[in-house]
Amino acid sequence: MSKPHVLVARAVFPETISKLEQHFEVESNPGDETWSKAQFIQKLKGKQGVFTTGSERIDAEVLDACPELRICANMAVGFNNFDVDAMTAHGVLGTNAPDVLTETTADFGFALLMATARRITESEHYLRAGKWTKWSFDMFAGSDIHGSTLGIIGMGRIGQGIARRGAHGFGMKVIYHNRSRLDASLEAACKASYVGKEELLGTADHVVLVVPYSPASHHTIGAAELALMKPTATLVNVARGGIVDDAALAVALRERRIAAAGLDVFEGEPKVHPDLLTVPNVVLTPHIASATIPTRRAMADLASDNLIGFLTTGKALTPVNPQVLAAR
Ligand code: 8YV
C-alpha cells in the first residue's frame, strides 16, 4: 500500500522529517524558502497532510484547490492561520500544539515584563553606544515588579503560568480578565481575582496580554484602552499581532501616556510598525516566546504525532475541530 503524502511547509528539526518519513512520502522545505500562496497550493496538491508552523494560511482557496488534504497540523498553540469553519466544512482536521510550550512561554512573558519594567534593553543600548560616562541617581529608573499589581488579559494556560510566577515568585497582586471566569480552585492556585477589562486597565501596574487572536480580539488594546492605563504602567504582548493597535501604541509610548511596552508579536510580522522602531521605551523581540530547543522539539513532536496518528489510525491528540473526527 502506498504511503500517504505529507508536506512540511517550513524548515524543522531533521529528526522530525526522519520520523515523518517512517510513515509518509514527505516533501519538506529544508532551505526554509518563503513560498507564495500559489506555490504553497501547488506543493500541497495531492498531499493528505500538511505540517504548518502557524504562518501558513489554510482557507477555502487552499482547501478547494487541494481536495485530497485531510489534516493540517500546526506546530503552534495558536491556530489563527486556520479558517476552522472552512476546514470543518471540507472535512479537514486541524490540530495545534498546546501544553508543551506553556511554562517556556510563561517564562518568556515574565522575562519580557521584567526587561520592560526595568528598562534593560534601553539601558544596554545606551551603554553599548558609549553614552555611559557617569552614574546618576535616577539613571534608567524603572518600575518595581515585586509588590505591584499584575493585570493579565487572557487567562488560559500561559496566562495562568504568568500569574503563578507573579503571585508566588514576586508577591504581586494578580488581577485578570478573561472571556469566562476561572473556577475557584484555579483562581486560588494563581492567587488571581477576576475583574472587568476597564478596571484591570485602570488598576494594573503591568498589563500582560495572552489572549488568542480572533476577529473578536482584534485591537483588544487600542487608543481608548491605552488612555485608561496609568501613565506609569507597562504593557506586554506575548499573544498575537493584531491584539494591539501597534500604531496607537507607538503614539502612547512616544507621548509617555504609558511608561513602556514589551512586544514579542506584531501586526503584519515580520514587519514591525516603523514608529515602534524609533521609540526608546519599548522592548522588541522577534516572536520567540516558545523558543527553547526542548520546547520546540516537543512542539514538533506533538505536531508530527498528530499527523501520524490521524493518517495511520484516524486519531489525533490535540484536534481544534474534533467534529471532523466524530464525523468519520
Ligand atoms: C510559535 C506561537 O513558535 O505557539 C504559538 O502559537 O506563537 C509560537 O509558540 C509560532 O507560532 C511559530 O510556530
Side-chain angles (χ1 to χ4, degrees):
M1 213 175 77
S2 70
K3 290 176 173 175
H5 290 247
V6 158
L7 179 68
V8 180
R10 297 291 308 274
V12 288
F13 298 102
E15 296 83 351
T16 304
I17 303 295
S18 308
K19 176 172 155 175
L20 292 170
E21 280 172 345
Q22 290 172 25
H23 303 271
F24 308 126
E25 295 295 336
V26 178
E27 180 175 350
S28 62
N29 183 3
D32 209 22
E33 286 165 23
T34 303
W35 296 335
S36 67
K37 192 167 189 189
Q39 287 171 314
F40 177 61
I41 288 175
Q42 207 48 45
K43 289 180 186 291
L44 195 54
K45 280 186 197 256
K47 308 274 195 308
Q48 286 77 48
V50 60
F51 181 116
T52 46
T53 63
S55 45
E56 305 76 13
R57 180 97 189 121
I58 307 290
D59 57 15
E61 184 190 354
V62 173
L63 296 163
D64 286 340
C66 304
E68 284 91 352
L69 188 64
R70 293 173 54 209
I71 173 170
C72 305
N74 238 10
M75 181 187 150
V77 63
F79 52 90
N80 54 300
N81 57 316
F82 292 167
D83 179 338
V84 176
D85 290 343
M87 288 168 66
T88 306
H90 283 77
V92 172
L93 185 73
T95 62
N96 68 338
D99 301 319
V100 292
L101 48 48
T102 299
E103 299 303 327
T104 295
T105 305
D107 280 352
F108 187 88
F110 216 85
L112 193 52
L113 165 58
M114 297 202 70
T116 302
R118 296 304 308 272
R119 305 175 66 181
I120 287 177
T121 54
E122 188 187 354
S123 59
E124 187 193 350
H125 292 152
Y126 173 90
L127 181 152
R128 283 181 186 271
K131 294 181 183 165
W132 184 31
T133 52
K134 198 166 136 191
W135 179 90
S136 66
F137 75 97
D138 61 349
M139 190 167 72
F140 291 106
S143 46
D144 277 322
I145 302 286
H146 73 275
S148 65
T149 297
L150 172 61
I152 299 179
I153 300 184
M155 198 65 155
R157 289 160 289 220
I158 297 168
Q160 290 170 39
I162 294 171
R164 286 195 310 272
R165 282 159 177 76
H168 299 292
F170 291 83
M172 297 173 93
K173 176 181 176 196
V174 181
I175 55 178
Y176 77 97
H177 184 71
N178 199 42
R179 265 174 312 183
S180 52
R181 193 170 169 173
L182 299 186
D183 68 38
S185 63
L186 281 177
E187 282 191 354
C190 300
K191 293 194 185 174
S193 315
Y194 182 84
V195 295
K197 182 176 156 190
E198 293 198 352
E199 183 182 342
L200 182 145
L201 291 169
T203 312
D205 298 305
H206 307 288
V207 176
V208 178
L209 305 169
V210 209
V211 53
Y213 183 81
S214 71
S217 62
H218 183 74
H219 287 186
T220 294
I221 302 292
E225 289 76 19
L226 290 162
L228 295 175
M229 291 175 64
K230 296 177 182 178
T232 50
T234 62
L235 176 72
V236 166
N237 185 9
V238 285
R240 272 290 180 273
I243 300 285
V244 174
D245 177 344
D246 286 348
L249 175 62
V251 172
L253 289 167
R254 176 166 288 118
E255 296 179 357
R256 304 272 167 180
R257 285 197 237 133
I258 67 168
L263 307 174
D264 186 50
V265 287
F266 304 88
E267 286 188 284
E269 65 183 51
K271 289 204 182 93
V272 175
H273 193 291
D275 294 351
L276 287 173
L277 296 172
T278 58
V279 284
N281 46 343
V282 60
V283 180
L284 306 168
T285 53
H287 202 149
I288 56 167
S290 67
T292 67
I293 293 298
T295 291
R296 286 280 164 84
R297 280 194 193 283
M299 293 164 72
D301 269 342
L302 182 49
S304 38
D305 287 344
N306 275 315
L307 277 170
I308 295 164
F310 185 64
L311 289 177
T312 63
T313 68
K315 299 198 173 91
L317 295 164
T318 50
V320 302
N321 53 350
Q323 46 294 33
V324 171
L325 289 174
R328 283 168 58 83

